[in-house]
Amino acid sequence: MEKRAVSILAYGLLLFLLSACEERTDLNGMDQPSTNKENAAGSGKTTNPGTSPQPKPSDTAPVRNEARPSVREHLKRIAFSEETENAARMIEQWQTSDSSSLPAKVVHQWERVTIHLEWSDADEAGRNALLDQITIGDKKPVFERDRADSNQYRLRLEQPVGASFEVRLGDLPPIRVERMKSLSFKPVSAAGEAVANVLHIPAREYGSRLFIPAEETGIVLQFSEVMEPRLPIAAEGSLVQAEWTDSTHLLLRFDQAAPSDGRTSELTLRFGDLQAASGNRLQDEMSVIISRFPALAWKDSLTGQQAVNGSRDRYYDRLLLSPDGTKYVGVIGLGGAMGDGDGWSYAFVLERPGKEPIVLERVFYSTIEPDDTPIRWIDSNTLLYASYYGVYAYDTEALTRRTVHENDPGETRNINNAVWDPYRRQLYVLAYGDRDESGMTNLYTYRDTNGPPQVDRGVSESVLAAKYSMLDLSIFPAEDGVYWTRTQSGVPYTEFVRSDGTRFTVKGIVRVVTVKGAYVQMYAAGGYYLTQEGWSLWRPGSSEKPVASPPGFGIAFRSGDELMYEEDGRFYRYDPEQDEWPLWRAPGGEEQDAVPNRGPDKLYKAFVSR
């Protein structure tokens, strides 16, 4: 989305929040920043039993001048928000009917802070007389009016880290505003050292994630500033076994028994009440989800032997091994789209034996998953992944990301699919020409990911596959050619283009290519959306062979060179010799919590008894 459009939308949201709380005097409501309720928009200030009271208004508050209108009487609401180019969030809101909650200090962390004022009804001269009593530092600012017919005004200021100023509002106490570095924490050992078997991913809207072994009975969090001695509470409001061992270290204990059945247990904590002595807060980590994982091992699907031996392997949903076997990427599924959409958000973690993990992406949203994995290796040092908005290459030696392909501003030229061809050493990107007009796509072929692409326009039209979801036009490179998904009369078919230019077609979409041929999933038009119509096995140049339908209504995926199917936590594999779908069995004989890997690597993970 264009940055200007996002900024306008963000300000619209802030104005809506201000209007929505017009009749409220309690700032701890669900749509207000609060110290007792999780709210990603910001954090309020209340006095909690057993905690330090909030600072009282300064004794140096200006004395009311009876010749001037009273700011205290005419100011209905004051709020502080902070913004970047494409995001905004509320920090503090205060209503004059509750003067005891007026903050003496407001801390912001982003580069721009905005002061919002809303006055009770007054004529133009009266409002100007009120605004004339407001100073920022020793200067009188010029406030912008939100709308011509509105009593709401705002003032935007940009400040470097460490800068502060005082806001004086007539006969109200002054408020000091300061920009600080973000308050943060990290897991450490009791001795204050980094812990190798714990993984911390601040996953923004999905909550800060702490992954720890199930056998651990506690964890220490080290904060970046001296903290007030408040304790977090569980999401349901219960107290947590915790104590401050000193002013920066919080010890969390787990007295419940560790899972013994191979299952993961979770505890969600609210960190909104935690505050540094400076007034700083955890704006991006208002909730912390602690997940305790049983011992799991990733094994080779052919031998059943352990394939990797990292201290954090149990946390990953998928693994992707580098071509030279010296490193691998752990993929963690965080959750689905926050709004309408069919994508998923992931964290990508680079693992290198004997080195600290590198979180490549904390939250990466994508619908693009060639080979049923959202990230691929170009070579042993370079990764490639894509979203609606761009295709990115990550250098695992320099630890830098660069943009290979980026759609134009707005969402009319979103990317439909992006696939690396390891046989021809080139990248294919399918992007919409103009989604406002049609689902027609253009093909961008990068023979050098640092150079310009060859562009072929109008290669195929995508169609609506499900509600809010356009069909991914699959591209499947093979040694002797490339399988391309096209559509005709709203139904997908596959065109195989051999290296010599010979073309063959079949109804459906290629999902997996093996030595026996390509497994093709067929569809039919079903009103607004496509409907599944079975499977076939196809060799280009020969007639397709029907394949037995998998059981139930689950999800098909690739695991190595096998076609797999998951339904209700059970996995099935297609047996081409018997033309049936037997229950998948782990090669090592594991009976409990064995899960096949999704993607090109022939791996599975299994619970390890202790």
Side-chain angles (χ1 to χ4, degrees):
M1 181 178 292
E2 189 176 359
K3 290 182 179 179
R4 174 180 170 81
V6 174
S7 180
I8 292 173
L9 178 62
Y11 274 108
L13 175 61
L14 291 174
L15 291 175
F16 171 79
L17 289 173
L18 286 170
S19 299
C21 65
E22 182 172 354
E23 300 302 323
R24 298 183 62 93
T25 58
D26 178 7
L27 295 186
N28 293 329
M30 290 190 64
D31 48 1
Q32 301 293 328
S34 167
T35 58
N36 293 323
K37 294 185 181 291
E38 177 184 337
N39 187 319
S43 56
K45 301 213 174 183
T46 61
T47 301
N48 298 314
T51 63
S52 301
Q54 294 295 316
K56 295 182 179 180
S58 170
D59 293 333
T60 62
V63 177
R64 177 179 173 181
N65 185 338
E66 296 297 338
R68 292 182 172 185
S70 168
V71 171
R72 182 185 295 273
E73 293 177 2
H74 290 278
L75 182 63
K76 292 176 61 177
R77 186 178 299 109
I78 180 171
F80 295 84
S81 67
E82 59 182 350
E83 299 86 31
T84 62
E85 286 299 320
N86 55 7
R89 63 188 179 191
M90 194 67 70
I91 306 171
E92 296 277 359
Q93 295 187 65
W94 171 78
Q95 292 175 306
T96 53
S97 57
D98 184 14
S99 59
S100 63
S101 67
L102 178 67
K105 182 178 181 179
V106 172
V107 173
H108 70 107
Q109 298 169 341
W110 294 351
E111 64 267 26
R112 181 185 298 152
V113 62
T114 299
I115 303 171
H116 306 261
L117 303 176
E118 183 179 0
W119 303 100
S120 57
D121 291 336
D123 57 25
E124 192 74 21
R127 282 194 298 268
N128 289 337
L130 292 165
L131 290 170
D132 188 58
Q133 300 178 56
I134 299 174
T135 59
I136 305 296
D138 57 355
K139 298 180 181 179
K140 288 187 177 181
V142 177
F143 279 83
E144 303 173 10
R145 199 168 184 173
D146 281 331
R147 298 186 304 274
D149 60 345
S150 172
N151 289 324
Q152 297 182 12
Y153 293 76
R154 69 169 180 259
L155 173 67
R156 302 186 204 178
L157 299 166
E158 292 193 7
Q159 299 290 320
V161 173
S164 65
F165 59 88
E166 188 173 72
V167 181
R168 287 187 172 268
L169 305 114
D171 55 349
L172 286 170
I175 302 173
R176 176 156 293 279
V177 181
E178 183 175 354
R179 184 179 176 198
M180 304 182 71
K181 291 183 179 179
S182 296
L183 180 63
S184 62
F185 65 83
K186 62 181 180 180
V188 296
S189 68
E193 301 170 345
V195 283
N197 61 353
V198 174
L199 183 63
H200 177 210
I201 299 180
R204 297 196 296 269
E205 62 268 30
Y206 295 93
S208 187
R209 312 296 289 268
L210 271 175
F211 302 103
I212 69 173
E215 56 269 23
E216 294 291 338
T217 59
I219 188 171
V220 177
L221 304 182
Q222 178 180 312
F223 287 78
S224 58
E225 293 186 34
V226 171
M227 301 292 292
E228 292 184 356
R230 305 179 183 184
L231 294 176
I233 59 175
E236 64 276 10
S238 61
L239 296 177
V240 176
Q241 292 192 55
E243 66 173 295
W244 289 96
T245 58
D246 58 35
S247 60
T248 58
H249 291 81
L250 177 65
L251 171 62
L252 299 173
R253 292 193 178 91
F254 311 107
D255 63 349
Q256 64 269 37
S260 59
D261 59 355
R263 305 296 178 182
T264 301
S265 66
E266 286 191 347
L267 173 65
T268 300
L269 303 181
R270 296 176 182 169
F271 273 28
D273 280 352
L274 302 188
Q275 178 175 306
S278 66
N280 207 356
R281 288 177 177 270
L282 292 161
Q283 295 288 355
D284 291 325
E285 299 184 89
M286 296 288 287
S287 69
V288 178
I289 302 171
I290 299 176
S291 300
R292 303 174 68 202
F293 283 76
L296 293 170
W298 283 93
K299 300 185 178 183
D300 186 281
S301 292
L302 298 178
T303 65
Q305 299 299 309
Q306 190 163 341
V308 295
N309 190 26
S311 59
R312 294 163 295 275
D313 294 343
R314 65 178 79 188
Y315 309 138
Y316 302 130
D317 298 309
R318 311 181 198 181
L319 284 193
L320 192 69
L321 307 178
S322 66
D324 63 3
T326 62
K327 57 185 79 77
Y328 55 97
V329 172
V331 178
I332 298 172
L334 298 172
M338 286 296 183
D340 296 336
D342 62 340
W344 203 260
S345 289
Y346 301 95
F348 301 146
V349 183
L350 176 65
E351 292 281 3
R352 302 163 296 173
K355 297 182 179 180
E356 289 295 309
I358 301 295
V359 180
L360 307 180
E361 297 286 348
R362 293 187 298 164
V363 179
F364 188 82
Y365 172 76
S366 181
T367 62
I368 299 172
E369 299 193 16
D371 289 340
D372 295 294
T373 186
I375 185 170
R376 290 298 306 269
W377 290 96
I378 290 180
D379 53 45
S380 292
N381 292 322
T382 311
L383 289 156
L384 188 81
Y385 47 92
S387 72
Y388 281 147
Y389 311 108
V391 182
Y392 311 97
Y394 195 99
D395 186 323
T396 60
E397 294 298 313
L399 302 180
T400 56
R401 187 182 87 165
R402 62 183 174 87
T403 300
V404 178
H405 181 99
E406 189 170 32
N407 66 331
D408 293 339
E411 298 190 26
T412 61
R413 292 177 171 81
N414 278 353
I415 296 169
N416 176 280
N417 211 339
V419 176
W420 172 253
D421 184 341
Y423 304 100
R424 292 151 201 87
R425 305 296 300 169
Q426 56 191 23
L427 169 67
Y428 308 120
V429 179
L430 276 174
Y432 295 100
D434 189 338
R435 289 189 65 184
D436 291 340
E437 296 181 355
S438 74
M440 185 60 69
T441 59
N442 302 324
L443 174 64
Y444 300 82
T445 302
Y446 289 84
R447 291 184 171 85
D448 179 355
T449 59
N450 289 296
Q454 171 188 318
V455 183
D456 297 302
R457 302 193 180 278
V459 296
S460 183
E461 186 173 16
S462 183
V463 296
L464 200 61
K467 191 174 183 181
Y468 308 123
S469 175
M470 296 294 286
L471 176 68
D472 294 334
L473 298 174
S474 175
I475 306 170
F476 208 113
E479 187 172 2
D480 56 343
V482 180
Y483 296 86
W484 302 91
T485 298
R486 316 289 196 203
T487 63
Q488 187 173 39
S489 300
V491 177
Y493 71 95
T494 292
E495 181 179 48
F496 178 71
V497 182
R498 276 192 178 146
S499 300
D500 62 7
T502 309
R503 297 170 182 265
F504 306 91
T505 62
V506 69
K507 182 180 179 181
I509 301 174
V510 170
R511 298 302 188 191
V512 181
V513 177
T514 70
V515 294
K516 295 184 176 296
Y519 289 105
V520 182
Q521 188 172 16
M522 297 177 291
Y523 292 87
Y528 291 107
Y529 315 124
L530 296 173
T531 59
Q532 296 183 19
E533 201 181 49
W535 290 79
S536 67
L537 180 62
W538 179 57
R539 283 182 177 275
S542 302
S543 298
E544 61 269 30
K545 176 184 176 182
V547 166
S549 296
F553 299 93
I555 299 174
F557 63 94
R558 176 188 184 182
S559 183
D561 57 1
E562 287 197 303
L563 178 61
M564 308 289 291
Y565 200 79
E566 179 185 6
E567 185 191 32
D568 295 332
R570 295 165 68 87
F571 297 94
Y572 303 84
R573 56 172 289 273
Y574 178 67
D575 183 344
E577 303 298 331
Q578 302 298 321
D579 188 29
E580 60 184 23
W581 294 83
L583 194 65
W584 175 78
R585 301 290 183 185
E590 296 87 354
E591 295 292 334
Q592 191 175 8
D593 284 349
V595 178
N597 187 43
R598 295 184 185 226
D601 291 306
K602 302 176 182 179
L603 302 170
Y604 71 98
K605 63 178 178 179
F607 173 65
V608 177
S609 300
R610 290 187 181 277

